[in-house]
Amino acid sequence: MLGFCRGRRKFLLASLTLLFVPAITWIYLFTGNFDNGKTVSLSPLDAQPHSPRYLAPSQRESLEVRVREVEEENRLLRKQLSLAQGRGPSHRHGNRSKTYSMEEGTGDSESLRAGIVAGNSSECGQLPAVEKCETIHVAIVCAGYNASRDVVTLVKSVLFHRRNPLHFHLIADTIAKQILATLFQTWMVPAVRVDFYDADELKSEVSWIPNKHYSGIYGLMKLVLTKTLPASLERVIVLDTDITFATDIAELWAVFHKFKGQQVLGLVENQSDWYLGNLWKNHRPWPALGRGYNTGVILLLLDKLRKMKWEQMWRLTAERELMSMLSTSLADQDIFNAVIKQNPFLVHQLPCFWNVQLSDHTRSEQCYRDVSDLKVIHWNSPKKLRVKNKHVEFFRNLYLTFLEYDGNLLRRELFGCPSEADVNSENLQKQLSELDEDDLCYEFRRERFTVHRTHLYFLHYEYKPAGDDTDVTLVAQLSMDRLQMLEAICKHWEGPISLALYLSDAEAQQFLRYAQGSEVLLNRRNVGYHIVYKEGQFYPVNLLRNVAMKHVSTPYMFLSDIDFLPMYGLYESLRKAVVQLDMKITKKALIIPAFETLRYRLSFPKSKAELLSMLDMGTLFTFRYHVWTKGHGPTNFAKWRTATTPYRVEWEADFEPYVVVRRDCPEYDRRFVGFGWNKVAHIMELDAQEYEFTVLPNAYMIHMPHAPSFDITKFRSNKQYRVCLKTLKEEFQQDMSRRYGFTALKYLTAENNS
C-alpha cells in the first residue's frame, strides 16, 4: 500500500509538471510582462542596461526551436505516463495472483541515487515485476561445520521475506551435505527445492591456484559454477554464507531484467580501499577496475557466460596474473576483478545496498540513509559480529533475530503456487489423516509422526576410528536444563560421545555460546552434538535417542542418560569387555549397574571397593530402589557386590538397565514420549530379539540429583496422561505379539502378573 501511495504522488507531481512547464514557458516568451503597455522580453539580456528591447530574429527562432523540442519530449513523457496510469489499477488492486511490484517498501530516492551511481540513470520507472510463482535460483558454496550453521541463518533470512518458490543449489563438501541434507529434509519447507553438488569433486578445477584467504580452496569454487550447475539453468544468484537478507530476494532477482548488451555479472562495488592499494606500504593488490567489486553477492547470467567461454576467460587471466602475484589474497574475488579489469563491459554494477559490506574501514555507511534502504548485509570481515561500524549494534540485532528465529514458523505455504510432490510430506499427511482427532490420546499418537527439524553436528566433530574395532560411543539425550552435566560427563568419559539436544532456536544459540566458552568442551572434538528443534507439547525422548544412535561411528554403543556419570576408566574397561565377551559375533547387552546419590556434591568413588563402602554408609543407593525397584532389580545387586566375573540375568517385567550393545541394535519405539516406558519397551525388544543380558562385575554409573522434569510432573498430576500411557503400553505389547509371535506371549503374562 505504501508503495502504491508513493507511486500516486509521483504520478500527480509529474503530471502537474508537464502541464505547467510548457504553459509558463510560452507565457514567458510571448506574453511577458508589460512596461507602459508594451510587451517586454524576459530574456537574460534585459538584465544588461544596454540590451535591446526585443530579441533578434535569429535568437527568437532558436528559442522557438528549443521550445518545440521540449514540447515533443514532454509529449513522449505524457504518453509514457498514460501507459503507466493504464497499468495502475492492476497494482492498486493488488493483482497479486500474478505479479507484484519490486518497489514496494524500498527507499525510492536512494534507489534512484544508487541507480545513477551504477550508470543506470537512463532506465526509468519500476523494475519489472517477478511472476508470483517464478522460481528463484540461489547458489551457495558451503564446507564444514561452521559454514553449515551460517547457511541456516542466511536461509532463514531469505525464507522470512520470500514470496516465491526457491531452488537452492548447494556446492557442499561431505560434512556440509550430511548436515544440510538432513536439515532440509526434516525442515519440510513448502516450495523449496535443494540440490547438492560435490565440492570435493571440484577441487581439482581450482587447486592449482594458491590462495591465502581463510576460505581456503572452497573460496575459489564460484569460478566454476558455469560448469558445475545444470546446463539448463540460465541465471542464478550466488551468495556467500555470511549474508543476511533484509528484503525479498525477488527484488534482487528482478535486477536481471536490467542487464544490457554483454553484461553477464551483477556486482556491487567493493566498499573498502583494498584494490586501491593504499592500505599499507608496498600493498600490491590484484588488478581491478577502480575500487573493484565484491563477490559476496553475484548475479550470474549463466547461459551468456557459457557462450562467452567463461572457463577459458578466467583461467587465462588467473594464469597470467599469478606469474607476478603468486597467489590470491581474496580468493575468487581477485580473479573476478582481474577479468573485469580487462573486460569492463561484462559487469552490471548493482546499487551498493545489495551488498552492505561490514568489514573494518569500509564506506558501507554511504549505502543507506534509513533502515528501509537496507537490502543485504554482508559480514565479510573475519571479525564477523565484532566488526567496527557506527551502526553495528543495529546490524548485529538484525542478524541475531534470524539466528534465534523459530525455523518452524517458516514452513509457510505459498498459496496459488503448485508445489512439487514430496513423498515424505504426502506419507506424513496420510498417516496423520488416519488418526482419530476425537481420541483422548490423539496428541500422544500424533507425536509419533511429528517430523522435528534436525541439525546434525552442530559443532566441529573429529573422530579417528580405533584400529581394533572395539570402540564404544556413549549415547545420551538432553534438554537445556541438563546442560550443566556435559562438562562432568566429558571428564568421566574420554571416548566418543553422541548427544541429541532438544532445544529451541534461541536455546541452540545459548548452547553454542556455552560450549564455546567452556575449555573442557572446546578441547573435546569427539563429541557429536545433534540439535533436534522443539515442536509439540511432549519431550520426544525416544526420537532423541534414535537420532543420537543413528550417528554413532563406532561398532558399539553405551546407551546412557545425561544425568548419569560413568565411573572413571569405564571407556577403556568396556573396550576390553567387548573383546572378552565376543560381542562381535554374539547378541549381548552388557549391563552397567546403576546407583544414585542424593548429594549434589559427591566425592566420586574411584573403585568398586570405595563404592561399596559408600553404599554401606548410605551415601549411595542402588538406583530407584525406593520408588521403582522393578526397573533395576533384575541386575541382582547382592550378587554384584561379590562378583568377579560377568554373570547372566534374565529379563523381567519393567526391567530398564543401561546397556552396551552393538550399533545394529533395534531403535527405541517413538510412541513413548515424555515420562514412562521409553526404556522398558526397548529392553523388551532386545529380549524378544534374543539378546543375552550380561552384568559387568567391575563397572558402575551414578545418577546425580536434579529437579524433577516437567514430564514426570505431568505424569504424576495428569490422570489422562497415565491413562494414555497405559493404552500405548497395551498397543506396544500387541505389536510385539504380531512381530515375534509365540515368543512375545511372556510379555503379556509378565505384565498381568506384575
Side-chain angles (χ1 to χ4, degrees), residues 607-635:
S607 65
K608 179 177 179 178
E610 194 174 329
L611 180 138
L612 290 175
S613 175
M614 296 173 73
L615 201 61
D616 292 336
M617 289 189 300
T619 307
L620 294 177
F621 309 92
T622 55
F623 185 56
R624 293 291 183 258
Y625 80 100
H626 56 304
V627 292
W628 185 245
T629 54
K630 295 179 181 180
H632 295 265
T635 301

Side-chain angles (χ1 to χ4, degrees), residues 445-588:
R445 301 187 196 284
R446 190 180 191 282
E447 178 58 40
R448 183 179 183 180
F449 302 111
T450 300
V451 178
H452 290 263
R453 188 165 39 102
T454 303
H455 188 134
L456 303 177
Y457 300 105
F458 197 67
L459 298 180
H460 188 87
Y461 178 75
E462 290 179 13
Y463 168 71
K464 295 180 180 179
D468 55 2
D469 290 333
T470 63
D471 218 347
V472 184
T473 297
L474 186 150
V475 172
Q477 41 72 37
L478 68 151
S479 54
M480 198 69 182
D481 58 346
R482 299 287 190 271
L483 208 58
Q484 72 280 1
M485 290 296 298
L486 291 181
E487 288 190 352
I489 287 178
C490 285
K491 291 176 181 177
H492 280 249
W493 179 272
E494 61 270 30
I497 301 174
S498 182
L499 298 173
L501 298 87
Y502 192 57
L503 306 173
S504 66
D505 291 75
E507 287 173 341
Q509 297 309 312
Q510 293 176 38
F511 159 69
L512 179 62
R513 291 190 288 271
Y514 171 79
Q516 291 175 337
S518 166
E519 188 176 343
V520 173
L521 300 186
L522 277 179
N523 291 332
R524 288 292 297 273
R525 294 298 183 92
N526 62 347
V527 181
Y529 300 98
H530 312 299
I531 308 296
V532 177
Y533 287 101
K534 286 183 175 180
E535 187 171 359
Q537 58 176 308
F538 297 107
Y539 184 77
V541 58
N542 279 356
L543 167 67
L544 297 172
R545 288 182 172 129
N546 289 341
V547 169
M549 283 171 56
K550 187 176 180 180
H551 298 95
V552 165
S553 304
T554 59
Y556 305 100
M557 306 181 293
F558 172 28
L559 306 180
S560 183
D561 270 341
I562 197 66
D563 36 20
F564 277 88
L565 291 180
M567 74 175 199
Y568 290 110
L570 181 60
Y571 170 61
E572 289 298 335
S573 177
L574 291 179
R575 292 185 64 179
K576 294 174 182 176
V578 298
V579 175
Q580 294 168 355
L581 296 170
D582 293 327
M583 284 192 66
K584 189 173 183 178
I585 58 174
T586 59
K587 277 188 173 182
K588 283 189 174 71

Side-chain angles (χ1 to χ4, degrees), residues 78-91:
R78 279 196 203 95
K79 184 177 180 180
Q80 286 183 341
L81 282 170
S82 66
L83 290 173
Q85 188 179 22
R87 288 194 298 267
S90 66
H91 294 289

